Amino acid sequence: MDTFLTILWTARYALLGGLAMTVFISALAVLAGSVIGVFVGLVLSYARGPLNWLVRMYVDFVRGTPVLVLILASFYILGSLGWKLDAFQAGILALAVFCSSHVGEIIRGALSAIPRGQTEAAKAVGLTFGQSFTYVLLPQAARIALPAWVNTAVEIVKASTLLSIIGVAELLLSTQEVIARSQMGLPFYFLAGFIYFLVNFAIERVGKLAEKRLAMGVR
Amino acid sequence: MGYTLNFAAVWRDIDLLWAGLGMGLLLALASILIGVAIGLVMAFVLTSRSPARPLAASYVSIFRNTPLLVLILFTYFAMPQLGIRLGKLESFIAALSLYAGAYLAEVFRGALSAVPPGLSEAGLAIGLTRSQIRLNIVIPVMLRTALPSLSSTFISLFKDTSLAAAIAVPELTYYARKINNESFRVIETWLIASIFYVATCVLLVSLLRLAEKRLAIPK
């Protein structure tokens, strides 16, 4: 136990840096993925013809491919095409793409759960499509989508560990480096698992709180 | 861009990809079978008043919120320090099954509450014991209710088998990486590998849909 604490103290900055990287990567991927995902959901819900098919194919292709394959493909392919992306950028790109396909489906589902009468009422009071979307549909869709969106955020935090495989120094890779030096796999893997659990547990709790706050008044 | 596609290197090793695909399906199948057993037991504990309930709840919460890669590395690299030495395949299946079990516990808990209480009462009335009722009435009905979630869990478990590459289990992603590193036909390798995954997922989805229709509880 003593040696563990000594090593932990020596490695504290490496591990905290890894944690910060994990949080940063996840936040960026969720943010970018959600912005793209809202557009994906809009296209899936309202566009007709080739644009709809293209986006549908994008979503199905991404959802049918394991995240690890997305990450490896993004890492190797972009480099060979001459895009100078480092592992960090390629990894975030892959996670954002993964996130966008999930958020897209969530938004599509949420929009289809809003009664048609809402759109018709908005049209009847003279709102344009843009206005009725921003003021009527989006707030309701956001509430419906919130629980699934929180789950996606947890999935992204978990998927961010896969970036360790392409060499991004997030929490798991920092932990593995400490383990390689100290030969103490058991306590340090345990610690990493515990920290991930705490981060995701916190996200879940905040999500539940937000859900309660935003719960629709009339039921 | 000056990149000409050349699939020769990938075709030459296509047998490896088929073997990897088979391995992935095998791992997913083993994990879902064990996961269903764990999930069923956990669902009954979670809905009971047994003192083991908080234990089951923490199991579900911990395994849902810890990254799968950390679980895999922990079982393979850290468990031996506790005296539990498993092979690559066994430790991967153990990690994936426990992960699946946590997700399925929630699924089954929902399905369990959807089983009409009248069914158990009818069982009692014709003189069946508690365990007979569970085995012959409740479990078959809840499995059928849970079928759609069960199939989507199976699909995501199949995609999760890609993480076995991290401990060098020879599955699809492992071989894709090998071909990538040996041939440098980067785009071709990852394109074919993703097509393998996507096609398998599409095939699985349609097969499972068929099974769902066949086994659905008549309305």
Side-chain angles (χ1 to χ4, degrees):
Chain A
M1 192 68 195
D2 259 4
T3 40
F4 167 67
L5 288 178
T6 319
I7 296 164
L8 182 62
W9 184 248
T10 324
R12 64 192 185 278
Y13 290 120
L15 292 176
L16 281 175
L19 175 60
M21 189 59 136
T22 288
V23 172
F24 181 63
I25 289 169
S26 310
L28 209 60
V30 169
L31 196 72
S34 299
V35 172
I36 307 168
V38 169
F39 284 104
V40 168
L42 271 175
V43 171
L44 288 179
S45 303
Y46 299 116
R48 294 279 161 269
L51 182 62
N52 188 303
W53 304 332
L54 262 162
V55 173
R56 184 80 256 167
M57 259 170 60
Y58 163 79
V59 170
D60 287 349
F61 199 79
V62 171
R63 280 166 63 97
T65 310
V67 201
L68 178 58
V69 173
L70 290 178
I71 291 170
L72 293 174
S74 155
F75 179 56
Y76 289 120
I77 288 183
L78 295 175
S80 84
L81 283 178
W83 280 24
K84 290 278 168 276
L85 287 189
D86 54 25
F88 169 77
Q89 292 159 331
I92 293 217
L93 181 69
L95 287 182
V97 163
F98 169 68
C99 182
S100 74
S101 73
H102 281 258
V103 172
E105 280 288 341
I106 293 169
I107 296 286
R108 186 192 59 77
L111 284 173
S112 73
I114 298 172
R116 275 191 60 86
Q118 297 279 332
T119 328
E120 286 160 10
K123 214 180 265 173
V125 295
L127 296 183
T128 63
F129 178 77
Q131 285 172 327
S132 73
F133 181 74
T134 352
Y135 300 122
V136 181
L137 297 179
L138 196 60
Q140 298 185 64
R143 282 175 189 168
I144 301 172
L146 186 67
W149 186 77
V150 170
N151 273 341
T152 305
V154 170
E155 290 303 320
I156 294 290
V157 173
K158 294 200 285 179
S160 75
T161 56
L162 304 186
L163 265 54
S164 67
I165 294 176
I166 55 171
V168 177
E170 41 67 81
L171 179 57
L172 183 57
L173 189 66
S174 314
T175 308
Q176 283 174 313
E177 280 164 1
V178 176
I179 292 171
R181 264 182 277 128
S182 66
Q183 300 297 318
M184 293 187 82
L186 193 63
F188 278 105
Y189 274 126
F190 199 81
L191 180 72
F194 184 65
I195 296 174
Y196 278 112
F197 169 76
L198 285 184
V199 170
N200 285 327
F201 194 71
I203 295 177
E204 238 181 40
R205 286 287 120 169
V206 173
K208 287 256 162 67
L209 216 72
E211 227 176 287
K212 249 183 218 155
R213 273 285 171 82
L214 294 175
M216 290 183 217
V218 198
R219 262 292 135 107
Chain B
M1 249 180 316
Y3 192 101
T4 5
L5 290 176
N6 177 0
F7 287 95
V10 185
W11 289 141
R12 204 174 47 238
D13 283 337
I14 200 84
D15 287 350
L16 292 182
L17 293 183
W18 283 114
L21 179 65
M23 175 62 90
L25 285 170
L26 200 75
L27 293 172
L29 193 66
S31 308
I32 192 117
L33 287 178
I34 306 171
V36 164
I38 300 174
L40 280 174
V41 173
M42 290 299 152
F44 281 114
V45 176
L46 283 173
T47 49
S48 72
R49 269 187 226 94
S50 115
R53 208 176 65 131
L55 231 65
S58 5
Y59 157 72
V60 170
S61 179
I62 289 170
F63 278 82
R64 280 174 66 103
N65 285 318
T66 310
L68 181 57
L69 184 57
V70 174
L71 295 175
I72 293 166
L73 296 176
F74 187 86
T75 32
Y76 187 58
F77 291 115
M79 293 295 266
Q81 295 182 354
L82 289 173
I84 303 170
R85 200 170 293 275
L86 295 173
K88 278 180 212 163
L89 282 188
E90 293 87 342
S91 60
F92 180 79
I93 292 175
L96 195 57
S97 306
L98 285 168
Y99 189 70
Y103 278 88
L104 291 173
E106 288 286 302
V107 168
F108 288 144
R109 196 172 59 138
L112 193 57
S113 63
V115 177
L119 287 183
S120 313
E121 285 159 16
L124 278 179
I126 58 170
L128 297 180
T129 64
R130 288 260 165 215
S131 53
Q132 280 175 325
I133 291 171
R134 249 185 210 173
L135 228 55
N136 299 313
I137 301 175
V138 177
I139 290 180
V141 173
M142 76 191 257
L143 276 179
R144 286 165 75 175
T145 317
L147 219 52
S149 321
L150 215 58
S151 353
S152 61
T153 308
F154 184 62
I155 306 273
S156 52
L157 287 182
F158 168 65
K159 290 193 289 165
D160 285 338
T161 59
S162 59
L163 301 195
I167 54 171
V169 173
E171 47 68 64
L172 193 45
T173 306
Y174 173 85
Y175 282 129
R177 244 186 138 184
K178 188 172 140 74
I179 296 171
N180 174 74
N181 293 342
E182 285 167 5
S183 67
F184 296 110
R185 303 314 306 183
V186 176
I187 297 181
E188 295 86 337
T189 309
W190 294 108
L191 191 66
I192 299 288
S194 335
I195 289 174
F196 263 66
Y197 274 112
V198 173
T200 311
C201 284
V202 170
L203 202 71
L204 281 176
V205 167
S206 26
L207 277 177
L208 292 168
R209 284 255 165 83
L210 217 70
E212 273 166 42
K213 260 188 205 145
R214 273 289 176 85
L215 295 170
I217 298 169
K219 289 259 158 71

